[in-house]
């Protein structure tokens, strides 16, 4: 995993802005602390920072290969899980000098051109500058695990893995307009697909690629979720699911540096840990597993519909079952509050408040023991694990099921923004575009059609928010986190599996439980879904209340130029508790979000237009 950035222009010489490129490189140094490189050409500047995982000595970037005396050069961020398969296929046509997946991606492009994307199984974002064609080829993985932001200024294409890196370039304005205000108040921590919030910044969407040449930027979709007929019995579906899940996990265990796993005691992380422990045991190694908890959570925990029980007893059951070397990291309230600002810098935007901050601290701790970790993100979206998949009233209600707070949110917008933004229309039209974009079969009944819409909504929105969080918080600590459930083959297949099968035995992720039942103890296999743990300590609410009031009273704050002070005052009086973003963000997290927003506006000198 790495950080990539650069600039391409056919109207000016790209070799004259070395100081700017070095600033961009420093801004993403945390993503790649092991190696760095900059390559300057007449029309392209390519910048890289590397977290070395595979072929540590041979995978340096930018990486070039000469074809008929012209260079083809790549900067690449990601991990390819079918590297050896592709290398064997390519060796008859082109030679290899390293074991790195970077070289495989580069030479896949040289041999197959843009169609190379059809063959890549992995998580990636890359830019290849082809001197022969005088164009850049730009691509992002199908699921959107690895980020790629850009700005097309009209005469220059500037790109980077993260927004803060783009902001180091002198051609990028530090401004938000009406759309940016709507994203920050009405959508966040989600983002409209392709939107970078700051004026002029956009994101290459998952499953999209394109070219930048003298004819400008041309983007296209190369992959999406397609509706297809599946003619399989339940037993065949169980077997097919098991094969896909096991193959994905095993492929993602390849590394030249130590690998560990997140372990919450939930179904998803426990499955990954079980397979990983089994594979490592074959080589006489013991898997390291990691969990996060909060000071005094055992004292203040209260069972709820969304979080029925705490993780600790299930973690113990799994570590005993697998014999792992387990590490439990406990976060205290003061450090959690202090990490809110740093988490906003890591994401490049205000985000999921303490849910981000705790993961940032957690990843920093894991980095002390390893460089690569596997995590269970995205099983809920693909296998139907969330309450809104299974609650008939919620799933049939128009609108994003995790964000039913538009009326509440719009109260925070200052009048000059609210007058130009129809909050309900902005949010609902985004929902409707995505729902209508879901492919369906003519044979789908109302339920199957709606479940495809729900999958597309979760895939395009909620899942992307969690993947943003996972990538930014982990890479900020130089930790690579892989997500086996994000294998595109699993996504393609599960999109077309009948809801009746997914909901086997009336359980969330019932199909996954049945397919993988031999890998878990009964106690964990039957555990009801529980989300990523968050603090229940009332001290957190008290602390963020004090912190936000301090920020609002600071003369340097820009927050009240965007947000109504009187609504913030109501928030600080705890007059009502409305879910800001599903079960993950309630009153304490809403206050913490505005702390992050305040810091982000100041840290990046954002002006409001």
């Amino acid at each position: 995993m790495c950080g990539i950035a650069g600039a391409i222009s056919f109207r000016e010489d790209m070799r004259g802005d070395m100081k700017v490129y070095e600033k961009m490189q420093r801004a993403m140094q945390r993503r790649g602390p092991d190696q760095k490189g900059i390559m300057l050409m007449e029309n392209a500047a390519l910048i890289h920072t590397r977290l070395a995982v595979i072929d540590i000595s041979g995978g340096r970037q930018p990486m070039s290969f000469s074809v008929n005396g012209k260079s083809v050069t790549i900067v690449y961020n990601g991990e390819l899980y079918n590297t050896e398969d592709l290398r064997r296929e390519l060796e008859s046509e082109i030679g290899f000098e390293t074991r790195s997946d970077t070289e495989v991606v580069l030479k896949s492009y040289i041999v197959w051109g843009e169609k190379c994307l059809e063959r890549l199984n992995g998580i990636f974002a890359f830019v290849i500058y082809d001197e022969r064609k005088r164009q850049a080829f730009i691509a992002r993985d199908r699921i959107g695990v690895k980020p790629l932001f850009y700005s097309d200024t009209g005469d220059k294409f500037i790109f980077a893995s993260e927004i803060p890196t783009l902001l180091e370039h002198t051609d990028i304005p530090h401004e938000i307009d009406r759309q940016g205000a709507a994203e920050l108040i009405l959508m966040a921590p989600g983002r409209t697909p392709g939107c970078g919030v700051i004026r002029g910044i956009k994101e290459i969407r998952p499953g999209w690629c394109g070219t930048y040449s003298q004819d400008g930027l041309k983007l296209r979709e190369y992959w999406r979720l397609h509706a297809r007929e599946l003619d399989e019995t339940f037993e065949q579906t169980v077997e097919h699911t098991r094969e896909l899940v096991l193959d994905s996990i095993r492929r993602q265990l390849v590394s030249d540096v130590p690998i560990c796993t997140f372990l919450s005691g939930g179904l998803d992380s426990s499955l990954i840990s079980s397979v990983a422990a089994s594979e490592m045991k074959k080589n006489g190694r013991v898997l390291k597993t990691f969990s996060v908890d909060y000071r005094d959570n055992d004292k203040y925990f209260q069972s709820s519909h969304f979080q029925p029980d705490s993780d600790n007893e299930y973690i113990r059951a799994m570590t005993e079952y697998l014999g792992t070397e387990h590490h439990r990291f406990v976060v205290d309230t003061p450090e959690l509050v202090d990490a809110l600002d740093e988490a906003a810098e890591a994401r490049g935007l205000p985000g999921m408040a303490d849910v981000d901050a705790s993961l940032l601290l957690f990843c920093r701790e894991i980095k002390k023991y390893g460089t690569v970790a596997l995590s269970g993100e995205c099983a809920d979206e693909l296998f139907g694990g969330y309450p809104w998949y299974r609650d008939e009233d919620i799933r049939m209600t128009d609108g994003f099921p995790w964000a039913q707070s538009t009326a509440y949110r719009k109260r925070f917008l200052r009048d000059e923004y609210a007058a130009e933004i129809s909050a309900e229309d902005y949010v609902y039209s985004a929902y409707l575009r995505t729902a209508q974009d879901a492919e369906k079969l003519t044979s789908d009944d109302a339920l199957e059609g709606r479940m495809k819409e729900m999958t597309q909504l979760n895939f395009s929105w909620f899942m992307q928010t969690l993947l943003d969080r996972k990538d930014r918080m982990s890479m900020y600590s130089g930790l690579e986190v892989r997500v086996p459930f994000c294998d595109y083959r699993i996504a393609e297949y599960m999109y077309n599996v009948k809801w009746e099968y997914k909901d086997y035995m009336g359980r969330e992720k019932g199909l996954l439980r049945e397919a993988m039942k031999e890998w878990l103890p009964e106690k964990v296999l039957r555990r009801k879904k529980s989300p990523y743990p968050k603090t229940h300590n009332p001290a957190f609410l008290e602390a963020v209340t004090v912190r936000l009031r301090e920020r609002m009273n600071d003369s340097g704050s820009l927050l009240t130029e965007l947000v109504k002070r009187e609504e913030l005052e109501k928030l600080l009086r705890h007059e009502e508790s409305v879910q800001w973003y599903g079960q993950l963000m309630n009153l304490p997290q809403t206050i913490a979000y505005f702390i992050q927003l305040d810091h982000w506006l100041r840290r990046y000198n954002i002006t409001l237009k």
Side-chain angles (χ1 to χ4, degrees), residues 389-431:
Y389 278 104
R390 306 185 67 253
D391 185 306
E392 185 175 353
D393 291 336
I394 296 176
R395 74 182 178 214
M396 299 308 291
T397 300
D398 258 2
F400 296 114
W402 56 84
Q404 297 287 315
S405 56
T406 303
Y408 176 66
R409 285 171 175 249
K410 73 175 184 180
R411 287 165 25 191
F412 288 88
L413 272 174
R414 280 179 58 121
D415 291 342
E416 56 265 40
Y417 292 102
E420 297 185 18
I421 301 167
S422 173
E424 288 81 6
D425 287 350
Y426 191 89
V427 176
Y428 184 72
S429 62
Y431 156 79

Side-chain angles (χ1 to χ4, degrees), residues 174-175 558 600-607:
H174 294 220
E175 299 173 357
L558 300 173
W600 179 77
L601 290 168
R602 299 192 211 204
R603 170 65 180 80
Y604 297 107
N605 300 310
I606 304 296
T607 57

Side-chain angles (χ1 to χ4, degrees), residues 146-371:
K146 291 287 105 182
L148 187 56
F149 294 91
Y150 72 93
S151 179
D152 180 6
T153 67
D155 60 2
K156 191 180 299 178
F157 177 77
I158 309 167
F159 66 92
S161 294
E162 297 177 349
I163 290 172
T165 303
L166 279 180
L167 291 175
E168 293 295 338
H169 198 285
T170 51
D171 288 356
I172 306 291
H174 294 220
E175 299 173 357
I176 56 172
D177 54 18
R178 296 303 184 260
Q179 182 188 20
E183 292 289 322
L184 290 167
I185 304 302
L186 302 177
M187 293 297 198
R191 279 186 294 114
T192 297
C195 176
V197 180
I198 293 172
R199 186 171 70 83
I201 293 181
K202 298 180 181 179
E203 185 176 27
I204 301 294
R205 294 179 61 174
W208 281 64
C209 67
T211 57
Y212 185 77
S213 67
Q214 294 179 82
D215 296 327
L217 179 64
K218 297 178 180 178
L219 298 175
R220 66 177 177 88
E221 185 179 54
Y222 72 88
W223 182 89
R224 60 175 296 127
L225 292 172
H226 288 295
R228 297 186 177 95
E229 291 283 0
L230 274 186
D231 185 22
E232 292 182 344
T233 65
F234 179 70
E235 291 72 23
Q236 290 170 327
T237 303
V238 167
E239 181 62 28
H240 197 163
T241 299
R242 183 186 303 115
E243 290 173 357
L244 285 172
V245 171
L246 287 175
D247 185 65
S248 179
I249 296 171
R250 286 167 176 158
R251 284 180 181 272
Q252 298 194 27
L253 291 171
V254 176
S255 172
D256 289 344
V257 296
I259 281 185
C260 57
T261 65
F262 287 36
L263 180 60
S264 68
L267 178 69
D268 312 327
S269 66
S270 296
L271 283 175
I272 292 170
S273 296
S274 184
V275 177
S278 174
E279 292 297 307
M280 292 180 72
K281 194 175 293 184
K282 294 176 183 177
N283 299 314
R285 293 181 293 160
V286 175
L287 177 68
K288 290 184 174 69
T289 53
F290 294 83
S291 65
V292 64
D293 201 357
Y294 302 86
R295 186 77 61 197
D296 292 331
N297 247 21
D298 53 344
K299 178 180 178 182
Y300 294 107
F301 178 82
Q302 291 183 344
S303 178
S304 69
H305 175 66
F306 293 112
Q307 194 155 4
D309 45 33
S310 62
D311 292 337
N312 292 332
E313 63 175 294
Y314 298 95
I315 293 170
R316 282 193 296 271
M318 280 305 301
T319 56
E320 292 171 6
Y321 181 74
L322 299 177
T324 67
E325 178 189 317
H326 188 68
H327 300 265
R328 177 172 173 261
F329 177 56
V330 180
V331 182
D332 204 355
T333 297
E335 63 180 327
L336 185 62
V337 176
D338 287 343
L340 289 170
D341 289 349
E342 198 173 12
E345 293 182 28
R347 190 184 273 264
L349 290 166
M352 301 181 81
D354 60 322
V355 182
D356 279 5
S358 62
L359 183 60
L360 181 74
L361 296 170
F362 187 32
C363 289
R364 185 173 296 163
E365 183 69 14
I366 296 173
K367 177 64 177 178
K368 297 175 183 177
Y369 300 88
T371 303

